[in-house]
């Protein structure tokens, strides 16, 4: 294989969860050129990736003219396409781009019959209530080329760190906590008033909280709602950062707290302690990946608190958890009673217990000045 294309036409978190596949492909074919194709605006998580030649983008919606241009651009340019996305368009792109293909299939779909005919190797997804984590499913795409070797241990790759804005770096205190409150979908959103109470409890315990969020109006409103939860010196709005800057900010934190979102996966890739708040989502499939040292250990489907490596996950103790649906009403703007049931004081207690068990890292500003970390 001289040229390999990995196709992942999904959201930002899905892109990051594909990085173990990129790493494994590089280990299998050390001299191959590896490219990733994804949607516009989603490939920032791959900035500075050491194993990629380039990232190719396509618009979320493609008209006839753009589709023809894509065919001309990709036609048989690759020896192998790894289709890490079960969608129809991803499989068609793989068929256009490469002579040989391996791809993910949805659990059930009327289109699976023709997708199978296009593939040398098919990996059928177990669905949202499966016990197999998505990173392991993606790695299984390489099975035919590994012979008798086992699949490699998955390891996420965070984007290359970029320097923080000087004014932000100067505000950061040793042992700060990064909280990412916004969720892309309502059914994954831990209530903002819960987050506000959590911020208040953590600052009362003497911790500085740094808030992150994207440039969208919903994210900005969520961050603004939390900035007044404590004294201005104790709560810092990190502002709108590039992914490499977010990675640098999280890497310097004593703890990251967030919901089921792409930034929580990024925090896991940065190697810091992560406290993830999960609602209807199945953690066996979607929990932040605990890293290569996790071995074969997997999260339980439901537990009030569970920890693997640096990842601690909290859920409600309701009998329906996790349902694997989009909230109680099964649509993206649905409420999720299981998230409402996770009380902020319980999260604060768990966060402080995690902090008490670890050594505080120096802030980026202190690191720059050469200060040493203290317990």
């Amino acid at each position: 294989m001289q040229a390999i294309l990995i196709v992942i036409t999904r959201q930002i978190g899905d892109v990051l969860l594909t990085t173990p596949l990129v790493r494994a492909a590089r280990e299998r074919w050390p001299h191959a050129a590896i490219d990733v194709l994804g949607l516009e605006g989603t490939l920032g998580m791959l900035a500075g990736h050491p194993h990629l030649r380039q990232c190719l983008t396509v618009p979320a919606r493609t008209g006839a003219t753009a589709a023809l241009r894509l065919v001309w651009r990709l036609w048989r340019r690759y020896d192998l396409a790894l289709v890490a996305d079960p969608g129809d368009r991803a499989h068609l792109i793989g068929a256009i781009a490469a002579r040989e293909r391996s791809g993910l299939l949805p659990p059930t779909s009327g289109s699976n019959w023709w997708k199978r005919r296009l593939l040398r190797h098919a990996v059928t997804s177990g669905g949202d209530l499966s016990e197999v984590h998505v990173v392991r499913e993606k790695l299984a795409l390489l099975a035919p080329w590994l012979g008798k070797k086992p699949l490699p241990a998955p390891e996420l790759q965070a984007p290359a760190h970029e320097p923080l804005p000087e004014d932000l770096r100067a505000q950061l205190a040793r042992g700060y906590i990064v909280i990412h409150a916004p969720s892309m979908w309502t059914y994954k959103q831990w209530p903002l008033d819960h987050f506000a109470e959590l911020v208040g409890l953590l600052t009362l315990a003497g911790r500085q909280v740094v808030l992150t969020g994207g440039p969208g109006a919903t994210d900005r409103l969520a961050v603004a709602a939390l900035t007044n939860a404590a004294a201005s010196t104790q709560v810092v709005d990190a502002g709108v950062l590039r992914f490499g800057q977010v990675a640098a900010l999280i890497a310097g934190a004593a703890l990251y707290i967030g919901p089921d979102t792409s930034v929580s996966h990024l925090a896991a890739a940065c190697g810091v302690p992560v406290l993830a708040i999960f609602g209807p989502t199945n953690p066996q499939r979607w929990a932040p990946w605990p890293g290569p040292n996790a071995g074969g250990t997997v999260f339980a489907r439901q537990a009030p608190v569970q920890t693997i490596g640096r990842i601690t996950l909290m859920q409600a103790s309701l009998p329906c958890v996790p349902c694997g649906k989009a909230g109680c009403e099964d649509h993206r703007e649905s409420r999720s009673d299981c998230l409402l049931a996770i009380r902020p004081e319980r999260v604060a207690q768990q966060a402080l217990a995690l902090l008490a068990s670890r050594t505080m890292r120096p802030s980026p500003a202190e690191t720059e000045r050469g200060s040493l970390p203290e317990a």
Side-chain angles (χ1 to χ4, degrees):
M1 301 299 176
Q2 300 300 312
I4 299 166
L5 181 66
I6 297 175
V7 184
I8 179 67
T9 50
R10 293 211 163 199
Q11 298 302 319
I12 295 167
D14 298 282
V15 171
L16 183 62
L17 292 174
T18 306
T19 57
L21 175 62
V22 176
R23 179 188 293 270
R26 168 60 65 225
E27 291 175 357
R28 175 61 182 83
W29 296 287
H31 304 294
I34 303 176
D35 298 342
V36 168
L37 183 146
L39 298 178
E40 291 176 348
T42 67
L43 300 186
M45 284 289 193
L46 302 177
H49 197 293
H51 301 316
L52 291 178
R53 177 177 65 176
Q54 63 179 333
C55 292
L56 310 173
T57 61
V58 294
R61 298 180 182 276
T62 306
T65 301
L68 288 173
R69 287 175 181 163
L70 183 64
V71 171
W72 176 258
R73 179 185 179 190
L74 296 178
W75 182 256
R76 294 297 189 261
R77 300 279 176 96
Y78 297 90
D79 301 305
L80 174 66
L82 299 171
V83 185
D85 176 347
D88 292 358
R89 182 165 70 156
H91 279 267
L92 290 172
I93 290 172
I96 291 166
R99 299 171 180 84
E100 205 165 356
R101 296 161 297 276
S102 176
L104 283 177
L105 299 179
T108 56
S109 172
S111 61
N112 276 2
W113 67 272
W114 62 261
K115 291 175 186 173
R116 286 186 183 278
R117 297 186 65 178
L118 294 175
L119 300 173
R120 170 180 170 179
H121 177 63
V123 177
T124 302
S125 170
D128 283 341
L129 291 178
S130 167
E131 296 180 0
V132 180
H133 199 283
V134 289
V135 297
R136 293 193 184 279
E137 272 189 355
K138 295 178 191 298
L139 279 177
L141 295 173
L142 290 177
W145 296 276
L146 296 178
K148 295 182 179 180
K149 293 181 180 179
L151 293 175
E155 186 173 354
L156 296 182
Q157 177 73 47
H161 292 188
E162 297 181 51
L164 296 175
E166 188 173 342
D167 60 337
L168 172 59
R169 189 174 65 251
Q171 294 180 71
L172 299 178
R174 180 176 301 204
Y176 65 86
I177 300 170
V178 171
I179 290 183
H180 184 89
S183 291
M184 186 173 184
W185 311 118
T186 302
Y187 77 92
K188 293 184 177 184
Q189 179 69 65
W190 197 46
L192 290 180
D193 58 350
H194 282 27
F195 267 118
E197 189 173 342
L198 173 64
V199 170
L201 291 169
L202 293 174
T203 55
L204 281 173
R207 291 289 178 160
Q208 184 188 60
V209 172
V210 182
L211 304 171
T212 59
T218 301
D219 280 34
R220 290 293 96 208
L221 288 171
V223 171
L226 303 183
T227 53
N228 295 323
S232 58
T233 57
Q234 289 294 92
V235 181
V236 177
D237 177 0
V240 178
L241 303 175
R242 296 185 294 274
F243 285 122
Q245 292 175 313
V246 176
L249 176 69
I250 292 173
L255 177 67
Y256 166 89
I257 303 174
D260 172 22
T261 187
S262 59
V263 182
S264 297
H265 293 297
L266 174 58
C270 291
V272 302
V274 171
L275 180 54
I277 304 167
F278 264 50
T281 308
N282 176 16
Q284 290 182 314
R285 184 164 175 78
W286 292 107
W289 184 251
N293 296 326
T297 307
V298 296
F299 283 102
R301 183 161 300 201
Q302 198 283 330
V305 180
Q306 52 184 319
T307 300
I308 299 178
R310 292 188 178 94
I311 311 300
T312 298
L313 195 138
M314 300 186 71
Q315 296 168 282
S317 298
L318 301 179
C320 54
V321 174
C323 64
K325 298 178 180 178
C328 299
E329 297 150 9
D330 202 15
H331 61 80
R332 289 174 173 174
E333 300 305 317
S334 169
R335 77 184 198 283
S336 291
D337 291 344
C338 52
L339 283 172
L340 186 64
I342 301 174
R343 301 302 305 165
E345 57 271 18
R346 180 182 154 212
V347 178
Q349 183 180 23
Q350 185 64 44
L352 293 173
L354 289 171
L355 289 164
S357 67
R358 298 184 182 272
T359 300
M360 283 197 294
R361 303 177 178 208
S363 73
E366 289 173 324
T367 300
E368 193 172 89
R369 294 194 299 267
S371 300
L372 296 174
E374 297 175 356

